[in-house]
Amino acid sequence: MFRPEDYDIPNADIAWCPGCGNFGIIRALKMALAQLNLPPSKVVIVSGIGQAAKMPQYVKAHMFNGLHGRSLPAAVAIKMVNPQLVVIAESGDGCTYAEGGNHFIHTIRRNPDITNIVHNNQIYGLTKGQASPTTPRGQTTTLQIDGVYVDPFNPIAVAVALDASFVARTFVGYLDLTVEIFKQAIQHKGYALVDVFQPCVTFNKVNTYEWYKQNTYILPEDYDPTDRDRAFKIATDTKKYALGVIYKNPNKPIFEEQLVAYKVDETPIAYRGLKV
Amino acid sequence: MNEVSVVISGAAGQGIQAVEHLLSNVVKDSDLYVFATKEYMSRVRGGNNSTTLRISCKPVYANIDRIDLLLVLNENAIERHRWRMTTSTIVLGEEKFVKDETNHVVVEFSKIAESFGNRIYANSVATGVLAGIMELNIDALKKNIEQYFVKKGNEVINANVSAALKGYELGRKLGLKLELKKCEEVRKKNLLNGSMAVALGAVAGGCNFVSSYPMSPSTAVFTELAKMSKTHGILVEQAEDEIAAANMVIAAWYAGARGLVTTSGGGFALMCEAISLAGMIETPIVVHLGQRPGPATGLPTRTEQADLNLVLYAGHGEFPRVIYAPGSIEEAYELTAKAFNVADKFQIPVFVLTDQYLLDSYYLVDDLPKMDIERHIVKTDANYRRYTVTEDGISPRGIPGYGEGLVRVDSDEHDEFGHITESSSVRKAMVEKRLRKMNKIIQEALPPKLSGPKDYEVLIVSWGSTYLIVEEALQSFLNHKIAHLHFSQVYPIHPSAKEYFEKAKRVIFIEQNATGQFANLVQQTFLIDTSERILKYDGYAYSVEQIAKAIRERLGV
Ligand SMILES: Cc1ncc(C[n+]2csc(CCOP(=O)(O)OP(=O)(O)O)c2C)c(N)n1
Ligand code: SF4
């Protein structure tokens, strides 16, 4: 059995601010990997650029830390070439929904069997506090000096609208919930979005731990995530944000399983021609 | 008669490509050499497009202006091609189009087609007429028409065959006496165009992953690979944009595939950041770039050699790369295959730079050689370090899941483990490690090819697809001390090139761009005078005549 410490990188020089929500996410991720008993050599963590995107640098597993906004195309390709790997794409809200918005849409359409964890701190961290696509209207920043005057992006609603096969949201302040959702997302066959509310204690003075506690609620145990209409209503309700698995469509075909190259031979492309 | 140059000209959507395809194959099956190239407008219907076919009992490999027989299918066809016509050009077409021409021959293609049930059989009539005029093999005509329409059912097949045979009979009766001597050796050859050659080269080089976004003229390579995806186990994905495509291909190599991206200048512009990523994480990528005129969307269906600077400087930061520019269909095949081995060995971006002219030109080639697939993947152990600093700069490349080690790559500057660092000493060591590969890359560069007299005084320099056009143009200068130096690898330039330049009294660069990008690169590399340049940038391919004329004017001979 693996323990969370088995995914530690010895002497890692972690570049996050003290108190940052990212610490909770890394803890939850290591716990989820351990509880699923996934050997580091089976897991690839793919990320873009940003504070959140530094995640794989602190987790013992394979790492592909690529370009800002481009974690999803990279993750899809890795899964195509080697479907035996567990592929996790992990990045910030700016990285995933702004720079990578096009890929977000099209990865959902493809439905590869990957997990997409988005650190949603509703701000740009690494570039020091500009608005992200999820920053609420009216919030002032060093750049949006009169406040953000465009509507925020609603990733959950977009994912449900695109019939993503697994859509969840959690808040890093609730460790058990987050671990549980990560586990479900990784085990889910198909694309799984987990949007994680993650306070940026340095640049976002509005969306704090306290704010998230007050403005979220956990979906009841008897909630049925396969009811798409209901899920869409919940997704578009931004008065209070639902936490939990909001939507699930387990009947979608898996991208890599439909590829012509695997119709004749199931050996991962990665291993063909190698003595494995 | 040794050679006939046939031009078929009509509107987009009239099936000129069908005639090109059918006639090329019938010619080949009639034991004759053929070269075919097309030029077309960026539209799906209307306008005027044309195909030039050189049909000969001797090998033919290049574009010419001269038209012996012009087959006209719409009203503006003659005017567009008048400058290519001579006093002996025969114009063939329906009366309304050709009646004012001196050497005209009326053939009512549409009417004949209609007599078999539908105007759209006019292509088959035209193919038949041309085949009849040149007395091509009638069975080959039948066979190729049948094959071409095989999916359309017996009724359509039979109608087209009958229409073609009627055309054949008519063509023979015209008494144009364009029969050519046959040549049996042609039977052993294959009819290929540049796009097919690049795709076959990729497969020969072990390509098993392709992701791209459609853009003329590179899309045909994508389509050809998709066609082969089942038999050759190739993962094919049409990406949402070029940015995704390039990132996918890099990640595919990371995971253990041999990936290709095929694009054009406009698409490649979007991939520049990804090229820089490949440079930093030292993950191979092979890019096929089919050039067309820019800037921006430029002339979408035409040809140019103006993206050398783009691939030469693509990506921020400093890292090694290799650029091939095939001069022939055979080289398009071999260099694409080689690109995979070189990318794999040095863990760098490798570019195959073609253009619309090369991709869309067909001629007969011998059986393509089998290429070796050289893989440079190591099985990792628990202590594996992806960026081990080595003497030649090449670190052993592992892939996830093959061996015990973890494969950790980072677009930030990193240490040997792939971990982010801001240490100035590590930074320096990594920059030097990456650049050190260049020593070996230069040693292994393809030297340029010299043809013509060894004691030359004038050296004509070309690169990429103009190779065979220049070669033929120089046939008319055999009594002069003119040689031809061609570069199939334009970066890095093999050091031996310098001697060739120094030996010449005059060096003239021929390029299909407005600024002489390769001449500039040579100037910068060897610090020699490269100011004599023959440049063309009107969007149309050079012809043998144009190059010969330009050289003659330059040299005053
Ligand atoms: C192409 C490109 N554009 C811009 C940047 C600069 N940049 C780095 S991180 C970042 C935003 C990060 O925000 P987010 O994804 O929300 O992550 P966070 O830092 O908040 O975790 C930006 C704009 C970059 N690295 N690359
Ligand atoms: S800037 Fe914000 S998101 Fe980044 S580490 Fe600091 S607190 Fe966390």
Side-chain angles (χ1 to χ4, degrees), chain A residues 121 123 139-140 199-209 211:
Chain A
N121 54 14
I123 203 82
Q139 196 159 311
T140 54
C200 170
V201 294
T202 306
F203 295 113
N204 190 340
K205 305 292 185 200
V206 178
N207 308 112
T208 60
Y209 283 93
W211 187 94

Side-chain angles (χ1 to χ4, degrees), chain B residues 35-57:
Chain B
F35 167 88
T37 193
K38 58 170 164 280
E39 56 82 25
Y40 52 104
M41 295 179 169
S42 181
R43 52 193 288 178
V44 177
R45 293 264 179 268
N48 179 267
N49 299 344
S50 73
T51 284
T52 300
L53 287 117
R54 292 175 74 183
I55 300 163
S56 172
C57 46

Side-chain angles (χ1 to χ4, degrees), chain A residues 15-22 51 121 123 125-126 198-203:
Chain A
W16 292 324
C17 313
C20 170
N22 284 329
Q51 289 288 77
N121 54 14
I123 203 82
L126 190 58
Q198 166 243 330
C200 170
V201 294
T202 306
F203 295 113

Side-chain angles (χ1 to χ4, degrees), chain B residues 53-71:
Chain B
L53 287 117
R54 292 175 74 183
I55 300 163
S56 172
C57 46
K58 297 219 179 76
V60 267
Y61 301 123
N63 183 40
I64 56 168
D65 289 335
R66 192 194 79 237
I67 303 177
D68 298 324
L69 193 65
L70 176 62
L71 187 118

